[in-house]
Structures are given as C-alpha cells and as structure tokens.
C-alpha cells in the first residue's frame, strides 16, 4: 500500500520551495522503489513552518517543518515514511503548539484535505450544508443564519441574517452573490489560505447564500497578486460544475453514450 505524503501547494509554501520539495520526494521514492501517494494540500496556517511536509503513519499525520530540497535525502535515510526521527520532525500535526488549542471553524478543512479532490471534500462533509439548506428552504436558511448571530467580519460587524433577508425581499429578476477576496489590508491572507486550501468549501458557501437570497449568479473578486489562487479556484469551479452535471444526469436517469 502506498504511503500518503502531503506537500502544500499554497502560495507561501510554494514561495519557499514546496514545488521543488514535492518533485524531490517523488523522485527519491521512485529511485528507491517506494510506493507513495503524493497529495498537494493547502496550508494549516503556520506559514513560518513551510514547506510543512506530512506523512501518514497509522492514524496520525507526522509533520516535518521547513523542509528544503536538500533535506529530502536525509529524510528518506531517516525513514520518514515511517515517521522516523529527523531534525525537521515536529511530531503529529495536530499536536503542533500553534494548532493544538485552535477551534478551527471556517478553516477546519484547510491543510486537512486535498483541495481539488471531490471525493476527499465529500468525505469531510462537503456539500452536506448545502443539502441541509435545500431541505429547510431559503427562509429556513436565513432564519438559521439570523439566529446564529453571524456577523460580517468588517468594522461594522453587520448581522448577516438581516443582510440576506434584505436581499431576499428585494425585487429583481437577477440577483448576484459577490465574494470579495481582495484582502486590501496589509498582512491579511485568510481569504487566500481558504481559497487555496478549501476552494470547494467556498463554492458551497456561495451556493447556500445564492439559494437563500434568490441569486443565480456569483462573482469572486480576486487579487491579481494571487495567480496560484486563481488557478486552484478555476479548477475547483470546473470540478463543481462537473459534479453538478453528473448529479443532474443521475437525477434524470440520463446515460452517457459511448
């Protein structure tokens, strides 16, 4: 059975050599005849530890931090595919001091899943919230959001339920959901980490918002400085559209001709 190895494909990690590390790990494993499954995940948010390489050992993911291409031969010599000891070893990722005390809500899938793997997304409750939204209906969604006390993260902290109710009640044949991912404030990267680590989660969230307020189209406003984010998002949107088409074919009993 192939050993699963995670190497981030995320802007901060890539900027310090994550792509080269991924290639070096794949090459080293091939040369040694070792079977690995290389997964390019998002970031856990501990950018100072990037590239943060993880290897699945039993039911744990053992982390190795600040891995460079020069570290790769030594990692294999130390048996890192079995969680072997090395200067870069940090132990189980969920025991890293920065992460252990966090309550990860919005970002709980970031770093955990393969961002462009639909099966992985579904295995981690992907589209479950949207299915619940359809079950309770548009007004039920708005009422739930209002009762939750959810507010915008801007300075005004405007209640989301009121905003959604206002849009739902507004007249208009065409309504839109706008996702502002500009991150104009210096030193803010939460939107990027989310889009690169859980893009399908963002798409699901926009689907829920659109369903609740009656919007059939959506836009994501993205910074030009985020080319990797744009590529990941574009692939995620294509995956989501493909999954939707497959769902509709199954619902209508349509079979593809071969």
């Amino acid at each position: 059975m192939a050993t699963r190895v995670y190497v981030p494909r995320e802007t901060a990690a890539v900027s310090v050599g994550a792509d080269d590390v991924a290639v070096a790990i794949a090459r080293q494993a091939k040369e040694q005849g070792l079977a690995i499954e290389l997964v390019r995940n998002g970031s856990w948010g501990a950018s100072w530890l990037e590239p943060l390489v993880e290897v699945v050992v039993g039911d744990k993911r053992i982390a190795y931090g600040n891995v460079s291409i020069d570290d790769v031969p030594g990692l294999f010599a130390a048996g890192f595919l079995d969680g072997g000891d090395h200067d870069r070893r940090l132990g189980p990722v969920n025991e890293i001091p920065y992460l252990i005390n966090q309550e990860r809500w919005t970002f709980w899938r970031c770093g955990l899943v393969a961002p462009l793997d639909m099966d992985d997304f579904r295995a981690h409750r992907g589209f479950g919230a949207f299915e619940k939204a359809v079950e309770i209906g548009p007004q039920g969604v708005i009422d739930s959001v209002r009762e939750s006390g959810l507010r915008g993260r801007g300075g005004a902290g405007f209640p989301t339920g009121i905003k959604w109710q206002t849009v739902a009640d507004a007249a208009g044949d065409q309504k839109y959901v706008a996702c502002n991912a500009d991150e104009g404030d210096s030193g803010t990267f939460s939107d990027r980490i989310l889009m690169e680590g859980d893009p399908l989660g963002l798409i699901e969230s926009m689907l829920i918002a659109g369903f609740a307020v009656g919007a059939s189209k959506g836009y994501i406003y993205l910074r030009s400085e985020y080319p990797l984010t744009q590529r990941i998002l574009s692939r995620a949107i294509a995956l989501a559209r493909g999954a939707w088409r497959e769902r509709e074919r199954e619902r209508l009993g349509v079979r593809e001709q071969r």
Side-chain angles (χ1 to χ4, degrees), residues 142 160-172 175-177 209-210 212-215:
I142 294 173
T160 305
I162 295 177
K163 183 183 294 185
W164 286 17
Q165 188 69 68
T166 302
V167 177
D169 292 342
K175 298 178 183 180
Y176 300 86
V177 172
V213 304

Side-chain angles (χ1 to χ4, degrees), residues 24-190:
I25 288 174
R27 181 182 296 120
Q28 191 83 15
K30 184 177 181 180
E31 290 175 355
Q32 296 188 20
L34 300 172
I36 69 168
E37 178 188 356
L38 188 63
V39 179
R40 303 303 302 274
N41 60 330
S43 173
W44 289 94
S47 297
W48 62 93
L49 297 177
E50 300 294 1
L52 184 67
V53 175
E54 302 168 68
V55 58
V56 177
V57 180
D59 61 351
K60 296 183 181 296
R61 285 167 59 163
I62 307 300
Y64 296 80
N66 301 127
V67 176
S68 73
I69 190 172
D70 294 332
D71 293 318
V72 173
L75 285 170
F76 276 87
F80 97 108
L81 293 183
D82 296 315
D85 193 25
H86 187 276
D87 288 344
R88 299 297 188 191
R89 190 182 192 277
L90 301 174
V93 68
N94 60 356
E95 295 179 12
I96 292 175
Y98 175 73
L99 301 174
I100 194 169
N101 293 319
Q102 291 186 358
E103 292 186 46
R104 296 168 66 87
W105 289 29
T106 305
F107 296 93
W108 75 275
R109 273 188 296 253
C110 292
L112 179 64
V113 302
L116 297 173
D117 186 326
M118 184 63 73
D119 291 336
D120 203 6
F121 179 66
R122 290 186 181 278
H124 290 86
R125 295 165 27 200
F127 293 126
F130 179 67
E131 292 169 0
K132 180 64 175 179
V134 173
E135 179 184 328
I136 65 177
Q139 190 59 52
V141 173
I142 294 173
D143 291 342
S144 295
V145 170
R146 183 190 295 112
E147 292 167 7
S148 75
L150 181 66
R151 292 174 175 268
R153 298 183 66 185
F158 196 85
T160 305
I162 295 177
K163 183 183 294 185
W164 286 17
Q165 188 69 68
T166 302
V167 177
D169 292 342
D173 295 332
Q174 180 64 63
K175 298 178 183 180
Y176 300 86
V177 172
C179 172
N180 182 5
D182 175 63
E183 292 192 317
D185 296 332
S186 59
T188 56
F189 307 107
S190 58

